[in-house]
């Protein structure tokens, strides 16, 4: 029975090695606790923001219960109420009024990425993605659609900052090789790096996608998780995107900005009527529970609460980032500076026990097995250069401190100042340095 | 911009005519009300059970609120708690212990059907379905997977009862035509007819699928909505399925038996480890909100409540069915008798204003536009014979009475007894008759 045949389209989804997922669940099953399990795992591998629950709990408890109307079938691309409230929220973020009719609510940002990729691509057609990138893009954009993901490698020398020229090169190479590219996709702000893309860079990127006549998929799920000096600019903002709005598709969700990943609620914004119609047809297969839509719509109903929640979230993120980078500097661990997101991109290249991505994988395993710290290797983000790791810092500060201490001990680094200090320190703003 | 190209795989989903969906939303927007809108629409087209809310409301309000753990990422094929409780519930229904590990929780029975079809079929391969069938099977089983749906026409002469020989014929014909069939799918109890398949019929069907070496997909979403004399038997029950369990995949959900369609929570039960693994990979794209899973798991936690809720539901369904069939008999409208489900399959063949499915479509439009009654034409269920209509009776009894009255007036039928009597009468158990 084990040798049972499944379809080729399903087998494609089973090809990935589950090592990283396994690590996640092992780390979650035996978590560190200073008193009861001091040798437990520290899971800084998963991009969850655990700093927000106290802000959410009371508000969620106040919401009115579900009604008979909630329990009934509703439009499968999202209730009008939720789409209306999300449109209001994102209009401010995108910098232009969004029409609720152009929004499709769907099961997670994952579902939104799958939908837009499937609408734009047939199997074998391609999507170009600047690398390093959120590794699940391979599955989310390509797994069901059959699209090929072509990385556009960014330059390690400047900490993998996004450049339009890297995307342009990848698009040219694809054309030379006879590959039909339908879109460029990126996360903005970027995961894993936490870069907030500057308006000039986005404007240039849009000139490139326009010149190549391809669509742009902007995954802006971290749009409100911005804490640094650079304000967020949406790829759909008319200031950077005066003429490609119909070909720009924005993905967002409640997993990151609202710290509610379990609710798996994503949205796709697209202005093209036919793309929208097709995306709605795909949402039929992955709608969100009306009970959850009701909860989220009620959460958004109080604009003042939303504004203060998001502001408090940004402050906490900034403090958490500052605390982590203070520790990294104390130990002399280099990193790429971030202005958004839940993670920091560490450069452990000089400590690899062997060359190349094998060395990276080895160090990842050692950190997990010996130091019992779960962080993700750059290979999981299709990093163009081995030696980088993503560490998520959005957990209690003492856990971050303990993780950095263990990493430093493993790398043989003596502390240069008190490593156990859980007090947040201000974030550095100038480049990767030891 | 309207002429914009979308992928072929997306365009396939857009081919359907939305006339029926439009009718649904128009009917819902201007509903009948005896006092305020006596000329409003009566929507008896949607298979929603509106007779249960008073039983659910209090229980739902008592459930504990979501916790931080609820808000976090959980296994995307369903939380262990919900899968465990569903396994317990369905073990009794299926007649054999089910392992929670063999369950995949996914976005609606729709998601479960899409997942199993995509795991079993590559584009162009086929699934045989006895017809008439739940019309959305075309989309659910074929829309994303690319599978072809081949109807196995049942015989109108005996009210379209399921026979293994009809399925056998369709499988043979497909083989003759060189089509690769991967599975037979059916809803059991059947939608639209409400037939509760007898154990002998299921056993014979299993011999046929086994002889043809294809899988069986049993959509048992109405398993607990049984009110007639025939008890439900699952296609996975060892009593009828001693040796094809690894190739039998059961779909279930909370939409019908629990009257919670908005929550879009389905499950797939499959014993084959590789099929299960592939189905989990597909559930990644269509997971259910953990908040909703939490609600449903809590609902199932109290077994006594569940048993009494399901029992009360069956009684109400039977009463509603009896009321409707009493009215139909009073007016002399023939129908196929049902033992389960929310609907009755009416034979309006003698009143078609024109021949064939054009006549059926015409009568449907007349009933909708003139009588303002929304019921579904048999063509929407790939009925092999024109003239049949599905009427869902699970709404307040006076609405059912008003709908039947309007249909009878439209057909020019005088009442033979008091048509406005909303008191349920016992269900007839013997065949289609005027
Ligand atoms: C860039 C990006 N997109 C999408 C997702 C997935 O979002 P969801 O959980 O809403 O499917 C993540 C989560 O890690 C992400 O980082
Ligand atoms: C036989 C059958 N299967 C599946 C469904 C869809 O279920 P869900 O709303 O859980 O996707 C229905 C609903 O009408 C149905 O009748």
């Amino acid at each position: 029975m084990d040798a049972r045949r499944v379809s080729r389209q399903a087998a494609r989804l089973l090809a990935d090695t589950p090592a990283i997922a396994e690590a996640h669940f092992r780390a979650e099953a035996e978590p560190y606790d200073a008193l009861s399990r001091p040798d437990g795992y520290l899971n800084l591998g998963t991009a969850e923001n655990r700093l927000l629950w106290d802000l959410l709990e009371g508000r969620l408890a106040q919401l009115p219960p579900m009604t008979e109307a909630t329990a009934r079938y509703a439009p499968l691309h999202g209730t009008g109420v939720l789409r209306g409230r999300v449109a209001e929220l994102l209009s401010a973020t995108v910098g232009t009024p969004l029409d609720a009719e152009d929004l499709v609510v769907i099961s997670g940002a994952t579902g939104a990425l799958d939908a837009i990729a499937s609408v734009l691509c047939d199997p074998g057609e391609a999507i170009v993605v600047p690398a390093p990138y959120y590794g699940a893009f391979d599955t989310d954009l390509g797994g069901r659609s059959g699209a090929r993901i072509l990385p556009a490698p960014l330059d390690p020398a400047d900490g993998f900052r996004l450049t339009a020229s890297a995307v342009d090169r990848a698009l040219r190479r694809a054309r030379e090789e006879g590959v039909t590219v339908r879109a460029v996709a990126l996360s903005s702000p970027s995961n894993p790096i936490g870069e907030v893309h500057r308006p000039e860079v986005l404007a240039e990127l849009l000139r490139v996608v326009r010149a190549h006549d391809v669509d742009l998929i902007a995954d802006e799920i971290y749009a409100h998780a911005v804490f640094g000096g650079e304000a967020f600019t949406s790829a759909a903002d008319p200031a950077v995107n005066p003429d490609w709005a119909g070909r720009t598709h924005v993905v967002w969700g409640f997993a990151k900005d609202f710290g509610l990943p379990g609710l798996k609620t994503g949205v796709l914004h697209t202005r093209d009527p036919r793309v929208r119609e097709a995306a709605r047809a795909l949402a039929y297969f992955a709608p969100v529970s009306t009970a959850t839509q009701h909860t989220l719509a009620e959460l958004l109903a109080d604009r003042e609460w939303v504004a203060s929640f998001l502001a408090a979230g940004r402050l906490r993120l900034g403090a958490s980032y500052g605390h982590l980078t203070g520790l990294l500097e104390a130990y002399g661990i280099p990193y790429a500076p971030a202005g958004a997101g839940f993670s920091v991109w560490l450069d452990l290249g000089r400590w690899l026990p062997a060359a190349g991505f094998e060395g990276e994988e080895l160090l990842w395993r050692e950190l997990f097995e010996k130091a019992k710290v779960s962080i993700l290797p750059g290979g999981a983000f299709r990093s163009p250069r081995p030696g980088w790791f993503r560490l998520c810092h959005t957990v209690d500060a003492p856990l971050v401190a303990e993780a950095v201490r263990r990493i430093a001990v493993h790398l043989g680094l003596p502390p240069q100042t008190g490593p156990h200090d859980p007090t947040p320190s201000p974030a550095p703003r100038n480049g990767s340095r030891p």
Side-chain angles (χ1 to χ4, degrees), chain A:
Chain A
M1 205 140 89
D2 277 46
R4 167 68 199 266
R5 178 203 167 277
V6 296
S7 68
R8 286 187 304 278
Q9 60 188 348
R12 185 167 69 205
L13 292 169
L14 295 173
D16 266 356
T17 63
I20 287 170
E22 260 167 38
H24 167 87
F25 286 107
R26 241 169 84 197
E28 286 289 317
E30 291 174 36
Y32 165 84
D33 183 277
L35 297 175
S36 66
R37 201 190 277 118
D39 61 343
Y41 288 96
L42 291 153
N43 182 14
L44 305 181
T46 313
E48 281 183 321
N49 188 345
R50 314 252 344 243
L51 306 175
L52 303 174
W53 182 250
D54 62 306
L55 300 174
L56 286 163
E57 188 171 20
R59 174 90 186 115
L60 287 170
Q62 282 164 18
L63 302 181
M66 95 162 101
T67 64
E68 192 194 356
T70 315
R72 297 188 63 194
Y73 277 121
L76 294 173
H77 64 283
T79 64
V81 181
L82 181 59
R83 283 184 291 111
R85 301 233 166 107
V86 170
E88 197 175 288
L89 176 76
L90 295 187
S91 291
T93 320
V94 172
T96 189
L98 304 190
D99 187 340
E101 284 304 295
D102 291 340
L103 287 174
V104 172
V105 172
I106 193 165
S107 186
T110 300
L113 291 164
D114 171 42
I116 188 63
S118 299
V119 171
L120 299 179
C121 302
D122 274 307
E125 297 176 343
I127 299 176
V128 163
V129 186
Y133 59 79
Y134 171 55
F137 273 163
D138 287 341
T139 304
D140 298 3
L141 294 168
R144 286 212 79 175
S145 73
R148 293 171 55 185
I149 309 306
L150 302 181
L154 300 172
D155 189 355
D158 72 349
F160 309 97
R161 303 289 111 177
L162 176 68
T163 62
S165 58
V167 173
D168 187 46
R169 265 195 306 279
L171 285 164
R172 282 175 201 279
R173 192 174 323 121
R175 184 184 296 166
E176 280 160 27
E177 291 169 2
V179 178
T180 302
V181 177
R182 293 286 178 200
V184 167
L186 82 167
S187 72
S188 171
S190 80
N191 173 9
I193 300 192
E195 182 184 5
V196 181
H197 303 306
R198 283 179 295 113
E200 312 85 77
V201 173
L202 290 169
E204 239 185 286
L205 179 71
L206 277 149
R207 280 194 289 274
V208 167
V209 296
R210 184 166 196 225
H212 287 270
D213 192 27
V214 297
D215 288 49
L216 181 67
I217 301 169
D219 178 346
E220 301 186 347
I221 194 169
Y222 288 101
H224 301 93
V226 171
F227 52 80
E230 183 70 42
F232 173 73
T233 304
S234 169
D237 190 324
V240 297
N241 189 338
D243 53 13
W244 210 237
R247 302 284 295 276
T248 299
H249 318 284
V250 173
V251 169
W252 184 74
F254 286 86
K256 311 298 177 183
D257 290 348
F258 280 83
L260 294 169
L263 274 52
K264 290 300 292 185
T265 305
V267 299
L268 175 69
H269 177 266
T270 182
R271 287 210 168 82
D272 184 282
R274 190 145 167 90
V275 170
R276 181 181 73 193
E277 198 191 352
R280 286 184 179 183
L282 283 156
Y284 169 88
F285 295 96
V288 174
S289 161
T290 46
T292 286
Q293 292 191 61
H294 171 75
T295 300
L296 294 173
E298 289 291 333
L299 204 60
L300 295 185
D302 182 343
R303 291 195 218 179
E304 258 178 63
W305 179 86
V306 171
S308 76
F309 168 77
L310 291 175
R314 279 190 290 265
L315 283 177
R316 290 183 184 189
L317 266 182
S320 178
Y321 173 81
H323 171 234
L324 169 63
T325 52
L327 292 163
L328 293 172
E329 286 163 32
Y331 284 112
I333 298 172
Y335 64 93
F342 302 170
S343 60
V344 165
W345 187 233
L346 308 181
D347 179 6
L348 307 185
R350 73 188 68 169
W351 292 283
L352 295 191
F357 284 100
E358 295 73 34
E360 182 183 284
E361 163 103 12
L362 223 62
L363 179 54
W364 173 69
R365 276 193 191 280
E366 283 177 12
L367 288 170
F368 186 71
E369 306 288 349
K370 296 187 188 153
K372 293 197 161 179
V373 174
S374 178
I375 59 178
L376 294 186
F381 301 91
R382 313 297 174 248
S383 176
R385 159 96 40 112
W388 294 76
F389 289 78
R390 189 191 75 173
L391 183 151
C392 294
H393 55 81
T394 43
V395 295
D396 278 347
L399 302 184
V400 174
E402 173 66 8
V404 176
R405 188 191 67 75
R406 289 189 192 178
I407 293 170
V409 167
H410 185 83
L411 302 178
L413 295 173
Q416 281 156 31
T417 69
H420 271 291
D421 175 14
T423 319
S425 57
R429 299 266 336 128
N430 53 345
S432 170
R433 58 192 165 96

